[in-house]
Amino acid sequence: MTVAQDRLDRLDQPDRLDATFAALADPTRRAIVAHLARGDATVNELAAPFAMSLPAISKHLKVLERCGLISRTRQAQFRPCHLERGALDSAVSWIEENRRIWSERFDKLDEHLRDIQAGPAPADTAPAKTRGEPADD
C-alpha cells in the first residue's frame, strides 16, 4: 500500500469526495484524467500537451494521487500512471443522487406553478364578500 493510499483510506467519505472535486476543479488535472481514461501513461506522455515543466505536472499528479483518482506503479524504469475509476464512481454516484433529488424538487415546483397559473378551483369562484355585507347565517 502506498503512503497516498494509506492517507486516503483514513479519510471518511465526505472528505474523500471533497478531495476528488477539489482535484477535478483544475482544468489541467481534468485533462490528465481524460488522458488516463484512454489508458495508462507515463509522466512524459501526460506532460506532452502542456506548456509546463515536469515538476509542475508532477505536482498535479500528486494531487490526483492523494485523492485516489490515480495510482502509479513501477515497470522497470517507468512509473506509469493509472486512472482509479472507483474514485470517479463515487463522485458520479454523488452527482446522480443529487441530480435525482433536484429533479424531483423541480418537478414539484413545476406542478405548483402550473396550479397557481391555472387559478382557483371552480368552487372557489364565488365573489368574495366585502366588509359591509351581512353574513349568510
Side-chain angles (χ1 to χ4, degrees):
M1 177 180 293
T2 65
V3 173
Q5 186 62 41
D6 184 46
R7 187 178 311 129
L8 182 64
D9 289 342
R10 286 185 263 133
L11 291 176
D12 62 2
Q13 186 61 26
D15 289 341
R16 187 175 296 185
L17 197 56
D18 289 349
T20 298
F21 283 123
L24 293 173
D26 183 86
T28 301
R29 291 192 285 267
R30 286 193 307 272
I32 290 170
V33 168
H35 187 288
L36 290 174
R38 296 187 300 270
D40 293 358
T42 64
V43 175
N44 286 333
E45 291 168 340
L46 293 171
F50 303 105
M52 62 178 70
S53 67
L54 284 177
I57 290 293
S58 289
K59 286 182 181 180
H60 284 293
L61 294 175
K62 285 177 187 173
V63 171
L64 293 169
E65 193 173 17
R66 275 195 305 267
C67 73
L69 282 169
I70 69 166
S71 61
R72 295 195 237 191
T73 57
R74 184 170 298 278
Q75 294 176 356
Q77 71 270 25
F78 299 106
R79 291 199 54 183
C81 298
H82 173 77
L83 180 64
E84 296 296 337
R85 297 181 192 277
L88 281 177
D89 290 343
S90 296
V92 168
S93 295
W94 184 89
I95 290 169
E96 287 173 348
E97 175 63 17
N98 281 279
R99 178 181 289 153
R100 183 190 61 76
I101 290 168
W102 282 102
S103 290
E104 289 173 5
R105 289 178 181 178
F106 284 131
D107 290 346
K108 288 179 183 178
L109 179 61
D110 285 341
E111 183 179 330
H112 179 68
L113 292 174
R114 278 193 300 275
D115 290 346
I116 290 172
Q117 289 173 342
D124 294 340
T125 57
K129 295 191 182 214
T130 59
R131 277 192 174 176
E133 294 183 22
D136 291 336
D137 291 324

